[in-house]
Amino acid sequence: ARAAVDRAAAALPGWAATTPRHRAEVLRTAHELLLARADEAAETIVRENGKPIAEARGERALESEIP
C-alpha cells in the first residue's frame, strides 16, 4: 500500500500540470471503464467483503452516480 501512495505522490505534479479539460477526459474514461466492468467490480466486492451480489451491484450503481 505504501508503494501505491508513493507512486501517487510522485505522479501528482504531472497530473496537476495537465489542463482541467484533459483531467476531465481521463476521469470520464475511467468512469466509462468502471461502468463497462461493473459486474466484475461487484464480484470483487463480494470476494473482498463477503457481501451478497445484489448488495455489491447496488453499491457499484451508487458509486457510478457520484459526481
Side-chain angles (χ1 to χ4, degrees):
R2 182 67 197 170
V5 171
D6 291 342
R7 285 191 304 274
L12 180 60
W15 178 253
T18 63
T19 65
R21 181 181 192 99
H22 177 73
R23 291 193 301 263
E25 290 169 358
V26 170
L27 293 173
R28 171 60 60 190
T29 299
H31 174 76
E32 289 169 359
L33 289 170
L34 286 171
L35 288 178
R37 298 176 73 177
D39 286 338
E40 184 180 338
E43 290 169 10
T44 299
I45 291 169
V46 168
R47 283 193 308 275
E48 290 181 354
N49 299 315
K51 292 185 176 186
I53 191 69
E55 187 176 335
R57 284 184 178 131
E59 187 173 312
R60 285 297 308 132
L62 275 175
E63 291 168 0
S64 70
E65 294 190 17
I66 296 174

